[in-house]
Amino acid sequence: MKHIISSFLLLLYSTGLLAQERVIEQPAFEVRSSNTLEFQKIVLSDTATVLYIDAYYRPKFWIKIVDETTLESNGKSYRIKSGDGITLNEEFWMPESGTASFRLIFPPLPKDTKTFDFIEGNDKGAFKVWGIHLDGEYPKSHLTNVKLPEKTLALEKPELKSGIATLTGKFIGYREGMDDEVPIWVFDILTGGADQNTVKIQPDGSFKLEVPLLHISNVVLSGNSTHTSLYLKPGETTSVEINMPEICRSQSKIQSSKPSLGTKFKFTGALADLNNELANNPVIGPAFAPRSQKEYQQMMKDISTMTIDQYKTYWMEKYQKAREEIDKLTGISNAQRQLLNIRLKHDLAEKLLSYSMMEYAYRQTNNIPRDSVLTDYVKPVPDAEYFSSLPELISDGSYMVYNGSFGYLLQYLRYANFTGKEIKLNSGEQFPDNTADLIQVMGTDKGFFFDMLAAYRIATSIKEFNPLNEQQLAKTNELNPVLKEAILTMNEKLKQTIEENKKKSGYTVNRVNIADIPAEELFNAITTPYRGKVVFVDFWATWCGPCRMAMKEAEPAKKAFEGKDVVFLYLAGENSPKGTWEQMIPDIKGEHYRVTDSQWEFLGKKFGVKGVPSYMLLGKDGAPVHFQVGFMGVEKMKEMIEKELEK
């Protein structure tokens, strides 16, 4: 009789008549705010809703699930009850693999629930997944597939023309809780960098950017899981629709194998064909530089013993191999092939102009400090033959502006030694103008390249926050009229900025006179006045984009600590131009120091500053309690400071 009852109960469980459980394997979702959490399955019963989650994050970094996490459906909230394999409100440290699994248990959802949202709190950076399907359905396609351009599409020839370029866009599937601002980087050849433009996203997902341009320019949009390169044209409008459900699906480790939800991007307006191809059919060019630390170390070892001719041959062979790989690519237009070749040429030109890398590799391979004298090493000095390929590499005329990093190449050319003799500079001495030597190498002084280089030389002063002097102003009369107008406008804006900076407060420069303090005593001398306070130290540089982004992100947190025993201390080195540094710090509230190269090198070795930005937190007794390279995020920053304040 017992055997019969047991068998009957087993039958009830297996048919679901008793357990009333429903399992949804790998449920589809609409959009999400982060790629960290993947839903393997959801188990629904009369007593609970259980989410089986795989987490993917940086090894040895932590994530957290707060006890305010809810499931939202049909206007109701269902707050989390517990975690299994993870403790709510506590840091969960990722293992070496960067992958972990756990379960989250919620109250039961109504049986007729078709979709719900997973909302892990309201803080910026909280995990949010919208439109999780329990009905077995997939999100609907939001954009029809865009027809890619014919393979015969050629690049439009850029012209120097001043005008406002407009980018209008819309994130399809945008939800409240996603980033409401996104950075759009516009490459500026005159300054040799990329300017960040932060655009506000409206509740319906739309946004608009208006930016002055001098020519067709490379732009990068990055935010809300989106990263794409595109081109804008002065005086014209480009529009884009961004298919967030498809982008989120394609980035999911589980959903990426499921049916596509349509084209990711749909461009219309100026340069639409080119932008559609680049965004929807991106091609990563052949590897010219090392792609891993292992490859980098091998490269440094290889070039550490080379002669100048061997160094040139080394890169020329890599270049030729990459050219052959580009020629073999299929399924791309002539325009995209042309872009790949332009960038490849500029990469080779930069490598040839970076022959000083040979000495750096020699020092690194042989563990010789940068400030030590080399006794058995002869510095490589290239002759005219070494630069014989340079004219062909930068002979694309105005098409060169399609490469956003062309400005970096101009910087390399500005400091290149074409004389065939070693140039020795005394402390504080400027590198001589090498225009005449470059003309000999190029065989001409005419053309778009020389127009841009002449303008770049003058604009460099403005970039370093030094208004143009009379001599430089006179030289602008020799420039192309479009470039002259742009530089004079930049100069006037700089003078206005300098005047406005004089009125700003909230920052202090060199509270301690560090000029004569030995490097080994410097840090203690700077921080001693702040004993009894928590000190947040930011190692940064004026040219460091991530440094500036982190500062902007941290500004609200800094305001939260106003009036409390917290000091924000900023350290920069001499590789941050003095004029630039002086004009940037009025907008960075805190204590500022610009240390010498030797002082910076000592601090780097002492604390492990291997790159910028780097951060250190000092307790009230002045002892370091935390150090890391790269920004830890606002929430972690606030948490660490508050923890030390409570001690």
Side-chain angles (χ1 to χ4, degrees), residues 418 433-445 450 457:
F418 301 109
D433 188 325
N434 62 359
T435 304
D437 299 319
L438 181 57
I439 291 172
Q440 284 192 326
V441 171
M442 298 296 293
T444 181
D445 62 352
F450 276 98
R457 288 184 182 278

Side-chain angles (χ1 to χ4, degrees), residues 216-269:
I216 292 173
S217 296
N218 190 203
V219 174
V220 173
L221 186 153
S222 182
N224 280 323
S225 302
T226 302
H227 185 90
T228 188
S229 178
L230 59 119
Y231 289 93
L232 298 180
K233 188 176 181 181
E236 300 195 25
T237 297
T238 298
S239 299
V240 60
E241 293 177 273
I242 303 171
N243 189 349
M244 290 296 296
E246 169 57 13
I247 289 173
C248 291
R249 182 205 66 81
S250 65
Q251 293 174 350
S252 168
K253 290 179 170 57
I254 291 177
Q255 299 298 324
S256 59
S257 60
K258 304 294 171 44
S260 170
L261 303 176
T263 296
K264 294 178 181 178
F265 302 90
K266 183 179 180 180
F267 285 91
T268 55

Side-chain angles (χ1 to χ4, degrees), residues 10 27 58 101 106 196 230 239-240 273 390 424 467 554 575:
L10 180 61
R58 287 176 289 179
S101 299
F106 295 82
Q196 180 184 347
L230 59 119
S239 299
V240 60
D273 284 346
L390 200 57
K424 294 183 178 181
N575 62 355

Side-chain angles (χ1 to χ4, degrees), residues 40 52-56 84-86 92 94-95 99-103:
Q40 278 291 353
Y52 287 73
I53 293 176
D54 290 341
Y56 298 87
D84 181 17
I86 187 170
F92 179 88
M94 297 298 293
T99 305
S101 299
F102 51 82
R103 299 190 308 161

Side-chain angles (χ1 to χ4, degrees), residues 307-369:
T307 65
I308 191 72
D309 291 332
Q310 290 171 334
Y311 178 81
K312 178 180 179 179
T313 301
Y314 175 84
W315 290 113
M316 291 294 292
E317 289 177 350
K318 285 184 174 292
Y319 168 76
Q320 190 57 44
K321 182 180 178 181
R323 280 291 297 267
E324 292 170 359
E325 291 182 32
I326 292 175
D327 290 341
K328 294 176 183 177
L329 289 174
T330 59
I332 65 172
S333 70
N334 291 338
Q336 189 162 187
R337 198 182 308 276
Q338 192 175 351
L339 282 176
L340 292 173
N341 277 312
I342 290 172
R343 290 168 182 164
L344 185 63
K345 288 180 180 180
H346 292 180
D347 282 347
L348 175 60
E350 287 187 13
K351 291 295 185 294
L352 294 180
L353 291 165
S354 302
Y355 54 84
S356 60
M357 184 191 303
M358 298 166 64
E359 179 183 335
Y360 179 73
Y362 179 83
R363 288 181 178 275
Q364 179 175 301
T365 303
N366 294 282
N367 296 315
I368 302 174

Side-chain angles (χ1 to χ4, degrees), residues 55-87:
Y56 298 87
Y57 201 58
R58 287 176 289 179
K60 299 183 179 181
F61 278 70
W62 59 267
I63 62 173
K64 182 186 293 185
I65 301 294
V66 300
D67 63 3
E68 297 176 352
T69 302
T70 60
L71 304 184
E72 308 283 337
S73 179
N74 297 319
K76 294 184 178 180
S77 296
Y78 303 85
R79 186 162 177 167
I80 193 169
K81 297 171 69 176
S82 62
D84 181 17
I86 187 170
T87 303

Side-chain angles (χ1 to χ4, degrees), residues 155-198:
L155 290 180
E156 180 180 331
K157 184 176 182 179
E159 297 179 355
L160 285 175
K161 176 185 176 183
S162 178
I164 299 296
T166 302
L167 174 66
T168 62
K170 186 171 185 178
F171 287 94
I172 306 298
Y174 181 80
R175 303 290 187 93
E176 183 181 354
M178 291 182 173
D179 293 338
D180 58 1
E181 291 182 339
V182 295
I184 300 179
W185 300 89
V186 181
F187 287 89
D188 187 340
I189 291 176
L190 283 183
T191 62
D195 298 324
Q196 180 184 347
N197 300 267
T198 302

